[in-house]
């Protein structure tokens, strides 16, 4: 079972962060592989919600180095390490000397409903495309002739807080959203170009989580008891999800993964 406090956010397959208490059975989420083979990077995956309920559980407050406080059960598994090496339950997180790194794989965002965002959504839907590859990850780019429309597009990209680079092909400028897969997801989820979003959701195979530094690598400052609280409990088809941008795993899967790793190493 995965447990999350009401108000925490999970990421849907159409790149919307929604409160965990609004989850419904059958809803599709963006998640990640629960385990991976040696020398292969963990991949993003789609999953579906198979069960949702609520129950009271003893909880802890996890204070992070950016001042954020997470509420979690003692057996809630977190993906830890700068490269997301292993799942560690809350009770085993080492906060002394700030040794445990908790990577936030994706930043949080909200759909931008300004004129600039709507203009960019239309521009990228009309002139843009996405690519998915093992080497390049998820990328979004658009072609346009040199001139005021291309200038406006680049200006609005920066105004909304994103980076870009350009390449030239004859009389065309190619505008690439920069920052890797994580920033490309943030761009799509914020600007929401309908055609490109549909192209992403239609892909069954998603890229690797290539750069954990795309998000935030946070340290744990303290873990303190928080008493009994009402928690949302749910399951997904691949046992994982993102909660507030942090990778989370079904509490019953940690022992199974460790057992499998020992068998492989033997």
């Amino acid at each position: 079972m995965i447990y999350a406090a009401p108000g925490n956010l999970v990421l849907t397959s159409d790149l919307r962060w929604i409160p965990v208490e609004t989850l419904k059975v059958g809803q599709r989420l963006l998640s990640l592989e629960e385990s991976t083979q040696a020398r292969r990077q963990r991949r993003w995956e789609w999953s579906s919600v198979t069960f949702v309920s609520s129950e009271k559980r003893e909880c802890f407050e996890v204070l992070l180095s950016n001042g954020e406080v997470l509420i979690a059960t003692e057996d809630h598994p977190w993906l830890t390490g700068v490269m997301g090496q292993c799942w560690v339950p809350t009770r085993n997180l080492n906060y002394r000397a700030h040794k445990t790194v908790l990577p936030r794989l994706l930043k949080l965002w909200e759909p931008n409903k300004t004129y600039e965002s709507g203009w960019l959504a239309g521009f990228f839907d009309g002139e843009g495309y996405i690519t998915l590859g093992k080497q390049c990850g998820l990328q979004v780019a658009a072609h346009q002739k040199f001139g005021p429309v291309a200038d406006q597009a680049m200006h609005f990209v920066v105004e909304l807080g994103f980076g870009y680079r350009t390449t030239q092909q004859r009389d065309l400028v190619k505008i690439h959203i920069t920052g890797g897969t994580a920033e490309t997801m943030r761009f799509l989820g914020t600007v929401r170009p309908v055609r490109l979003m549909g192209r992403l959701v239609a892909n069954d195979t998603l890229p690797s989580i290539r750069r954990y530094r795309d998000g935030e690598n946070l340290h744990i400052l303290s873990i303190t008891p928080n008493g009994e609280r009402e928690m949302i409990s749910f399951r997904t088809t691949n046992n994982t999800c993102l909660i507030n941008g942090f990778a989370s795993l079904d509490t019953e899967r940690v022992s199974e993964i460790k057992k499998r790793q020992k068998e492989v190493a033997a």
Side-chain angles (χ1 to χ4, degrees), residues 97-226:
H98 313 326
K99 289 183 177 180
T100 299
V101 173
L102 200 62
R104 189 197 298 272
L105 303 186
L106 293 178
K107 298 175 183 177
L108 303 182
W109 60 76
E110 294 182 357
N112 189 305
K113 299 179 180 180
T114 62
Y115 168 81
E116 292 80 3
S117 180
W119 191 97
L120 276 180
F123 174 78
F124 275 88
D125 260 344
E127 310 297 338
Y129 59 92
I130 66 170
T131 56
L132 282 163
K134 293 181 180 179
Q135 299 300 321
C136 65
L138 173 65
Q139 293 187 340
V140 168
H143 289 97
Q144 180 62 38
K145 287 186 177 181
F146 284 96
V149 175
D151 292 342
Q152 186 75 290
M154 291 183 281
H155 174 71
F156 283 163
V157 166
V158 173
E159 193 166 310
L160 292 184
F162 297 95
Y164 72 89
R165 64 180 177 85
T166 60
T167 54
Q168 184 176 349
Q169 294 182 347
R170 297 182 181 178
D171 62 338
L172 297 176
V173 59
K174 188 176 179 181
I175 304 168
H176 309 254
I177 300 300
T178 57
T181 296
E183 272 296 276
T184 301
M185 286 185 180
R186 187 171 77 90
F187 177 82
L188 291 172
T190 300
V191 176
R192 310 200 64 76
V194 175
R195 182 178 65 85
L196 296 190
M197 292 287 293
R199 291 285 304 278
L200 173 63
V201 173
N203 276 278
D204 292 328
T205 302
L206 296 178
S208 300
I209 306 173
R210 298 175 61 242
R211 293 167 55 191
Y212 287 80
R213 63 180 180 273
D214 282 350
E216 299 175 271
N217 285 324
L218 301 170
H219 292 275
I220 298 169
L221 302 186
S222 66
I223 301 175
T224 55
N226 188 248

